[in-house]
Amino acid sequence: MQLKELDIEKFDQFVRNHKLKSHFLQSAAWGKLSKKKRHLTPYYLGLVDDKDQIVAATLLLQKKLPLGLCYLYAPRGYVIDFYDHDLLEEFTKQVVKFAKEKKAIYLKIDPDIIWQKTQYNGTIIEVEKQKKELYNHLQKLGYRHLGFTKNFETSQPRYTFRIDLHQSMEEIEEHFSKTTKQRINKSLKLKTTVKIGNYDDLTTFFELMMLTEDRKNFVSYQLDYYQELYKLFNEKDKAILFLGQVNMDDMLEIIKQNKEDIEKQLESLPKENLSKSNKNKQKELNKQLEKLNKDITKYQDIKEKYGNEITLSAHMIIEYGNKAWVLYAGNHNILTETYTNYHTYYEHLKYCKNEKLDIYDQFGTIGDLSKDNPRLGLHEFKKKFGGDYIEFMGEFDYVIKPFFYFVFTKLVPIYRNMVKKRKKKELKHEVSTVKK
């Protein structure tokens, strides 16, 4: 068998249709995006047998470093039957040879091999014997496991929630939390709508991403990154934009109708000699009426500021092979009480089910569930949709140049941290000097 750089179409066809390890991060589109927006060099490699059939493949992303060195990364790779130990050994040998030719310090892989699964009902499915054998076999082949991390320390999340789409939609909805069902129903009653957007809607999507990131105190990508991703994945596969929207006139009509109903109930109460129960009822109805009046004023102000049709949620889904991933989700700061975000999730889950896909992946959560973890809210939100809580095996590095690997992975981060601290100290000194 021989390792070759494959024609990009043949490579993508193999990856897309692989029954075990098809993943959008191993796609040709991801390789092109990484080249254009991350300045990485993609290699589309395949192990070919004597009949010229591809038996294993991987996208390798090359990050160039000083001194003519580099490192290589196979995001969620390889595309191979990992349990065929002989094939894995041969593929490793040939990929490592390729890496040495490129003067790579190391080669990183992080296959989405499930290490442990916790079902929606809390039942834990422990590591199978076969997976433990694979874990040991990878280390025998020379891969160094980087540990069972708990947060987002790795290149890709070690934890996620996945929904098995072989279930009926009724079964999937049964696994939703009680609050999720209630919030979806409330959103539907408020006549929120979800539509599939197009390229022109990416500007709105980006604005909502910026609002979301501002709340979380980080910024990821600029608009042109999302535009390029959308174009590349829609050449052969699907990047779908779901837009959750409200119509303010519809909202105001519903609230005004609710107000009329409350006023009628108040009028029906006796005018004099109210019983204790009627007094309590009157008090509660007046309280509801006061809130509805405030809501009418609030929503009229929002309509005046933002217009009648407002997009509150914008989610981007990647559909590739037999799976879909909820890759990005942006949400507005206003009208959170409409739960449009929940409705949007519900609609793209139904969409993926109707597309006859196998897996719906919410793309990332945490393993550290302590109460002070700032990401716990994200975890709890995704958990409410009843997916299986998945822990992947983690990252492995195949070290080719031990000295440079030590310098790059240990000493360079220490140096960068020192520089960062020094700059903070200098900035603090400048600020204090100006104040004086």
Side-chain angles (χ1 to χ4, degrees), residues 10-19 21-24 26-28 57-59 79 320-321:
K10 286 184 179 178
F11 169 85
D12 213 36
Q13 186 178 11
F14 177 81
V15 175
R16 188 184 291 110
N17 296 307
H18 199 278
K19 291 182 179 179
K21 282 284 152 268
S22 174
H23 201 291
F24 83 95
Q26 276 289 298
S27 68
T58 188
L59 165 67
V79 185
Y320 186 81

Side-chain angles (χ1 to χ4, degrees), residues 25 53 117 210 272 277 289 299 315 338 345 358 366 371 413:
L25 289 174
Q53 296 295 310
K117 181 195 295 186
M210 290 292 287
E272 297 177 356
S277 63
L289 189 62
Y299 294 155
H315 301 176
T338 65
Y345 262 94
D358 295 331
I366 52 174
K371 291 181 180 179

Side-chain angles (χ1 to χ4, degrees), residues 113-119 123-128 131 150 158-160 388-393:
I113 296 166
I114 297 173
W115 187 247
Q116 183 171 285
K117 181 195 295 186
T118 304
Q119 294 179 318
T123 302
I124 296 174
I125 299 173
E126 297 290 350
V127 183
E128 298 169 14
K131 289 170 184 173
K150 293 290 185 182
R158 261 199 77 232
Y159 294 84
T160 192
D388 294 328
Y389 181 38
I390 303 294
E391 177 186 358
F392 295 124
M393 193 176 284

Side-chain angles (χ1 to χ4, degrees), residues 76 150-152 156-162 325-327 345 360-367 375 378-383 389-390 392:
R76 289 301 190 220
K150 293 290 185 182
N151 289 296
F152 290 102
Q156 306 301 331
R158 261 199 77 232
Y159 294 84
T160 192
F161 282 101
R162 281 183 168 180
W325 292 263
V326 186
L327 194 55
Y345 262 94
Y360 173 92
D361 191 316
Q362 289 180 274
F363 202 67
T365 185
I366 52 174
R375 303 274 187 175
L378 171 74
H379 175 88
E380 291 300 321
F381 173 78
K382 292 183 176 183
K383 181 182 178 181
Y389 181 38
I390 303 294
F392 295 124

Side-chain angles (χ1 to χ4, degrees), residues 120 171-187 189 339 342 346 380-387:
Y120 71 93
E171 287 175 304
I172 291 170
E173 288 180 39
E174 278 177 17
H175 302 158
F176 289 176
S177 73
K178 184 179 177 181
T179 54
T180 298
K181 293 174 185 175
Q182 289 170 344
R183 287 171 180 180
I184 291 170
N185 287 334
K186 181 176 179 181
S187 192
K189 285 176 182 176
Y339 300 113
Y342 283 79
Y346 180 56
E380 291 300 321
F381 173 78
K382 292 183 176 183
K383 181 182 178 181
K384 288 176 182 177
F385 288 87

Side-chain angles (χ1 to χ4, degrees), residues 5 13 35 51 92 110 121 187 194 223 319 368 382 392 429:
E5 288 195 49
Q13 186 178 11
K35 181 178 182 179
K51 296 177 183 176
T92 295
D110 54 1
N121 58 7
S187 192
V194 180
L223 175 61
E319 184 181 329
D368 171 17
K382 292 183 176 183
F392 295 124
H429 176 71

